[in-house]
Amino acid sequence: MTRLASSFAEKVSPSIDIRFQLFYNFGTYLAEVPRRLGTNAALDAAAESLVSAYAFYCSGALTAGYHPLSKYNNAISALRHILDDPVRATSSETLCAIMMLMSVPVLMRMTDGVTANHMEGASRVLKCRGYIPPRDEFEKLLMLSLRGPVVIEALCYDKVDFTRQEWQDLVQSGLENLGSDIKWLSLLSRIPELYRRCRAEWQSPNFTEENLVGLRYEVHICLQEIRDAAVKLRERLVSSKQLVLPVLTANFIDAHLLRTLALTLLTGIVLNCILKTAGEESEPTKEEASGWSAEILRLAEASIPYQPLASLTMLFCLYAAWSSTEDPTLRHSIQVLLQDYEMACLGRKTENMVECLELTRDRFLPTYGNRANSDRPTILLNYG
């Protein structure tokens, strides 16, 4: 166990080049793991799997061999055993094991959907735990790291499902005063519930356009908060270039601001989509969304020096950027960069890229469906 703790601590060191750094790119909670090894079999097995997968990823190989795959399978088996115990299943160590196993498929360049299965498991553990204020620094860091993946997976997969109060307790609580760096997450966590309300209004037998006025007003307020946060982030990005700092620190700040601004604009894109789903669409709104798409493209280009891991989030942002613009030239540029990113970060390129992008658009950015059997639109939603 001492050898594992030493190896794990070495792999998650914040002094590693940010391009390959687990600490920054997958969660600062990882620094707390070594001292907890030996207390939970699922945590131990997940730590071994993460160490093996990370070594494979850094080797540049494209297909995982026996060692990382066997470690991953062992970790899944250990987790299943722990989940049979009602007490240990909801412990912070078990939740940490699930979090680490979410990272392993990415590092092993595995097929899509595997990470979503782990996130579904994490969401169930969170539901069983209920809202418990963090008992120590480890739980605080773990919950902060978990919030982003939970929200993003909830937008893509309907099995990650929380009630309005659960979103408030588990995700939004404590984010109110964290500034522009985290504003995107606070607002993005409201989106699944906004979509649900929008769908409920359209499907109501007493539907009138007036029913959506309040929801549209809420979305407009959220959009203004996004615009304000984006302005501050742009200013910080420009001013950070003037600082004379050690290379590691300068790269960290630059990569962080590029990623945070891209996620902020992504949130704005989805909020604009809610307006469209709620029956409000205008040329200024479309132009704003397309402008944000172009800006995400520029941010992703600026993040290329931080590939593969420190710019991994840009893949998700580029998918959203493609979906929110109708400009063929911009879409082509995004598509080309997406393929380059996939090769650099995941070691593969998606076949039938346009078809995949269209499917992502319909699922992640739902809009109106067909009017064939109704005077009102059928909304392409997958939540609850």
Side-chain angles (χ1 to χ4, degrees):
M1 197 57 63
T2 302
R3 181 180 298 176
L4 174 60
S6 176
S7 178
F8 191 94
E10 179 185 332
K11 297 294 189 296
V12 301
S13 170
S15 64
I16 293 174
D17 187 330
I18 194 172
R19 295 174 301 164
F20 294 93
Q21 191 181 121
L22 293 177
F23 178 81
Y24 168 70
N25 297 303
F26 289 97
T28 55
Y29 73 93
L30 291 170
E32 299 291 320
V33 170
R35 71 188 68 183
R36 293 173 182 268
L37 293 174
T39 63
N40 182 294
L43 183 67
D44 298 344
E48 284 193 83
S49 181
L50 186 65
V51 167
S52 179
Y54 181 67
F56 160 76
Y57 190 83
C58 292
S59 74
L62 299 182
T63 304
Y66 172 78
H67 190 266
L69 287 172
S70 64
K71 292 293 184 182
Y72 182 59
N73 288 333
N74 290 342
I76 295 296
S77 298
L79 178 61
R80 285 173 178 163
H81 180 71
I82 289 287
L83 291 176
D84 287 335
D85 183 330
V87 176
R88 291 189 296 171
T90 57
S91 71
S92 55
E93 287 77 15
T94 299
L95 191 57
C96 180
I98 297 174
M99 275 287 288
M100 287 194 289
L101 288 178
M102 286 174 55
S103 305
V104 170
V106 176
L107 296 173
M108 292 204 301
R109 310 182 196 279
M110 295 175 70
T111 56
D112 297 336
V114 181
T115 301
N117 292 335
H118 292 310
M119 181 49 65
E120 181 187 350
S123 68
R124 289 181 178 177
V125 170
L126 287 172
K127 276 180 170 286
C128 290
R129 280 168 58 101
Y131 178 64
I132 305 173
R135 291 168 290 192
D136 51 34
E137 187 65 17
F138 175 62
E139 285 199 357
K140 180 180 178 181
L141 293 173
L142 183 61
M143 294 306 295
L144 282 172
S145 298
L146 183 61
R147 287 169 171 176
V150 164
V151 173
I152 290 174
E153 292 292 342
L155 293 174
C156 300
Y157 299 97
D158 55 328
K159 291 184 179 180
V160 180
D161 183 41
F162 293 107
T163 65
R164 186 174 187 175
Q165 187 59 48
E166 285 170 337
W167 277 119
Q168 178 64 42
D169 292 340
L170 298 172
V171 181
Q172 295 171 13
S173 179
L175 295 180
E176 297 83 0
N177 301 313
L178 293 182
S180 57
D181 283 45
I182 210 72
K183 176 60 69 176
W184 69 271
L185 180 55
S186 176
L187 295 175
L188 199 65
S189 67
R190 296 182 58 185
I191 285 173
E193 178 62 25
L194 289 171
Y195 271 136
R196 281 197 197 90
R197 287 169 55 196
C198 188
R199 179 176 60 179
E201 294 294 353
W202 279 114
Q203 294 177 343
S204 170
N206 301 316
F207 172 82
T208 66
E209 285 286 340
E210 293 180 359
N211 294 355
L212 293 170
V213 171
L215 186 142
R216 292 172 187 160
Y217 178 73
E218 285 184 50
V219 175
H220 278 294
I221 292 176
C222 292
L223 277 167
Q224 189 55 53
E225 291 184 41
I226 284 294
R227 295 183 191 108
D228 294 342
V231 168
K232 293 178 182 177
L233 288 166
R234 292 185 192 107
E235 291 173 351
R236 288 172 58 193
L237 189 57
V238 171
S239 63
S240 69
K241 306 292 186 182
Q242 313 304 317
L243 301 175
V244 180
L245 299 167
V247 174
L248 186 65
T249 304
N251 287 345
F252 172 85
I253 293 173
D254 193 43
H256 171 72
L257 290 173
L258 289 169
R259 178 163 76 176
T260 304
L261 180 53
L263 287 166
T264 300
L265 298 178
L266 175 148
T267 305
I269 285 172
V270 184
L271 286 166
N272 267 327
C273 183
I274 294 178
L275 281 183
K276 185 177 180 181
T277 306
E280 179 180 324
E281 186 175 22
S282 63
E283 281 304 315
T285 298
K286 291 170 65 175
E287 290 175 6
E288 180 177 56
S290 188
W292 285 341
S293 294
E295 188 171 359
I296 286 175
L297 174 64
R298 294 192 296 271
L299 294 169
E301 289 171 339
S303 295
I304 289 174
Y306 306 119
Q307 291 176 345
L309 293 183
S311 56
L312 192 61
T313 305
M314 290 297 177
L315 278 166
F316 190 60
C317 296
L318 286 169
Y319 266 85
W322 186 95
S323 301
S324 67
T325 181
E326 297 176 0
D327 183 333
T329 302
L330 179 54
R331 277 192 165 183
H332 176 72
S333 297
I334 293 171
Q335 184 180 334
V336 170
L337 187 59
L338 253 176
Q339 291 177 321
D340 291 344
Y341 255 85
E342 285 193 333
M343 200 65 223
C345 299
L346 305 178
R348 59 175 172 80
K349 289 184 179 180
T350 299
E351 297 182 7
N352 304 317
M353 173 62 81
V354 173
E355 180 182 347
C356 182
L357 285 164
E358 289 173 346
L359 288 172
T360 302
R361 174 196 61 200
D362 292 342
R363 185 173 184 85
F364 175 61
L365 300 175
T367 54
Y368 295 127
N370 297 321
R371 295 175 179 262
N373 300 313
S374 173
D375 292 333
R376 298 202 303 270
T378 300
I379 303 176
L380 302 175
L381 294 178
N382 295 285
Y383 308 111

